[in-house]
Amino acid sequence: MWYAALVRILRRRIVLTIIFLLSLTYCLVNLWGNSGNSYKDIEEITYKREQPLIWREDPINNGTNGGKSKGCRNSVQGKTLLVDEEGYVCSRSNVLSNGCCDSNENVQYNCDTCTESEGCCAVYEKCVSCCLSPDKRPILEKAMELASGRQTALFATVRDQFELCLAKCRTDSHSVQHENQYKNPETKFCYAYIEAHESQRDN
């Protein structure tokens, strides 16, 4: 008898409505509470390097004749220019069979389209070349120290200064303002740390 009475009560619309509203409120409160913390939790993840980054002036890089005998890694994607891991920039048509630029015909650590004060360049390959100079290590260390979010994760995976320079010159969100305009369209490839535009800073 009591079972039938309980079923009748549960069938009433008002009871079902109350149960639905309570469930909906519970879901919304949990969803809203977790969404506020998820981004923060991602930001607080610490990315640790598994091996120390190899800098150009490290002994491991000396006495190898610049790696020319075994070949070079290079920036690959340039339409007209390439930069090799020794910091030489050359035209795509003049790359040697081992992937290196001819060191006798090209300038190493070419910064001729770069502004030293900003650490930004007009040409991607010259940004990488300039960035590879051993004297840029303090600037790069500062950039890595001040990096946040995705850049921190990216910098934790690079093995040496060449990979760091490829990544740093390719994408730097601090070289843009309002998320879709370059601060300086003439020198948009940057190896140095740039203060974020006010449109990108946390309020």
Side-chain angles (χ1 to χ4, degrees), residues 62-137:
N62 296 333
T64 60
N65 193 26
K68 300 286 181 184
S69 58
K70 63 176 173 40
C72 300
R73 294 171 294 166
N74 61 50
S75 56
V76 181
Q77 82 271 18
K79 187 175 181 181
T80 57
L81 294 175
L82 291 176
V83 56
D84 69 20
E85 63 186 304
E86 296 301 314
Y88 291 97
V89 178
C90 59
S91 65
R92 178 174 277 284
S93 58
N94 290 334
V95 177
L96 302 175
S97 58
N98 62 358
C100 303
C101 293
D102 189 343
S103 57
N104 297 319
E105 295 183 11
N106 298 285
V107 179
Q108 190 177 31
Y109 311 134
N110 189 331
C111 299
D112 68 1
T113 69
C114 306
T115 57
E116 286 291 322
S117 58
E118 295 177 347
C120 295
C121 312
V123 178
Y124 171 72
E125 288 77 14
K126 291 184 179 179
C127 175
V128 176
S129 177
C130 191
C131 173
L132 282 169
S133 176
D135 67 358
K136 298 295 186 290
R137 177 173 176 173

Side-chain angles (χ1 to χ4, degrees), residues 24-76:
L24 182 63
T25 304
Y26 176 78
C27 290
L28 290 174
V29 167
N30 280 331
L31 184 64
W32 183 71
N34 290 335
S35 66
N37 295 328
S38 60
Y39 182 72
K40 186 178 178 182
D41 292 343
I42 291 169
E43 285 292 312
E44 289 176 357
I45 294 173
T46 9
Y47 297 94
K48 294 184 180 178
R49 299 190 58 77
E50 293 181 7
Q51 295 179 346
L53 190 137
I54 300 169
W55 296 98
R56 292 218 31 91
E57 66 268 29
D58 284 354
I60 193 169
N61 290 317
N62 296 333
T64 60
N65 193 26
K68 300 286 181 184
S69 58
K70 63 176 173 40
C72 300
R73 294 171 294 166
N74 61 50
S75 56
V76 181

